[in-house]
Structures are given as structure tokens and as C-alpha cells.
Amino acid sequence: MKKILLLAALTVLGVTTSNAQTTKKATKKAVVTKVVTPKVVIPKIEGAGMVFENETIDYGTVAHNADGQREFVFVNNGTKPLIITNTQGSCGCTVPTSPKEPIAPGARGVIGVKYATDRVGPFTKTVTVISNAEGMPSKTLTIKGTVLGDEAPAAPKS
């Protein structure tokens, strides 16, 4: 009698385990989500305005003597034309360029910057922008990164 009960219990346990395994093998449906990027609302101001997409450019790690040209993009969020009167790099290795014409309200502009990548090692430099922007006649932008050195030449084999 004990053997029959034990056999019955094992049979029930085996059926339950096999059902549980079947449930685990069920395929999962893929969940697809849509990523919605919120629109950035740039507030309008009275007078000339200047809002940058990024105030810091990270060059990351660049090769020695690589192209050091990058761009800071901005928009005039004001009601009057924006006039950039001067751009100045923090040293001779950072050379900025700026628009010569006024930037109309709502229009985009670009401030170019070229870093001299012949200088090996990490760097952090600034570009100062002088303009007629309301409440912000001077704006400081930053560039940073690391310039890799040339690999040492291999020693001659003897």
C-alpha cells in the first residue's frame, strides 16, 4: 500500500513538474516602445538673444595632428538682430571664427573653433564670445579632449 501511495505521489509530482516546464518554455512576445524626443522650447526675449545647442564640445581622444575644427551652433532667440563683435580663444592654440553679419531673430549661426592638435596630451580651453545679447554680453564656451602622441618607433631587431 505504501508503494502505491509513493508511486501515485511521484506520478502527480512528475506531471506538475512537466507542466511547469512547459509553461516556462512559452515564448515571450517582443515589446516595442516608441521613443519620443521632447521638443526644446527656446524662450523669446526682447532685444538680441543667443542660445547655444551645446556650450561644451568634447573632442574625446583624437590622433596627433588630426582635424581640430569643430562648431558651436546657436540661435538668436531675441526680437532684434544679434551682432557678435568679438571671439577670443584662451590661447594661441584655440582659434575661433564668427559670423560677420548680424544674425536675424530666429536664425541660426555658427562659431567655429580650431584646436591645434599638434600639442599632445589632455586639454581644456575656452572661447569668449562678445555680443549685443541682452543680459549676456559675454559668453564663455569650452572645448576639451586628449590628443594622443605618436607611437614610438619599434626598436631594430638584432
Side-chain angles (χ1 to χ4, degrees):
M1 182 71 161
K2 288 181 185 179
K3 289 182 181 180
I4 295 175
L5 287 175
L6 182 61
L7 185 59
L10 289 175
T11 305
V12 170
L13 182 60
V15 169
T16 305
T17 304
S18 67
N19 285 344
Q21 289 175 350
T22 304
T23 305
K24 288 181 184 177
K25 291 181 183 178
T27 59
K28 294 182 181 180
K29 293 182 180 179
V31 178
V32 178
T33 57
K34 183 178 180 182
V35 178
V36 178
T37 307
K39 289 186 178 180
V40 177
V41 177
I42 300 174
K44 283 281 192 188
I45 63 168
E46 286 297 318
M50 184 168 43
V51 176
F52 285 87
E53 288 181 359
N54 292 310
E55 295 180 10
T56 300
I57 293 178
D58 188 348
Y59 280 61
T61 304
V62 296
H64 186 231
N65 291 321
D67 180 21
Q69 186 70 39
R70 301 292 188 275
E71 295 181 336
F72 288 99
V73 179
F74 65 92
V75 66
N76 177 357
N77 66 326
T79 58
K80 294 183 180 174
L82 173 68
I83 301 169
I84 297 175
T85 55
N86 191 30
T87 53
Q88 181 69 44
S90 57
C91 71
C93 61
T94 307
V95 180
T97 58
S98 60
K100 303 300 179 211
E101 309 81 36
I103 308 300
R108 291 181 173 264
V110 173
I111 294 180
V113 62
K114 182 168 177 115
Y115 179 71
T117 58
D118 58 340
R119 298 167 184 230
V120 175
F123 65 91
T124 300
K125 303 296 178 184
T126 60
V127 173
T128 304
V129 180
I130 308 296
S131 71
N132 67 332
E134 287 295 319
M136 185 180 48
S138 175
K139 181 69 177 171
T140 303
L141 307 171
T142 304
I143 61 170
K144 63 182 182 176
T146 302
V147 178
L148 297 175
D150 294 329
E151 293 184 31
K157 294 183 181 180
S158 324

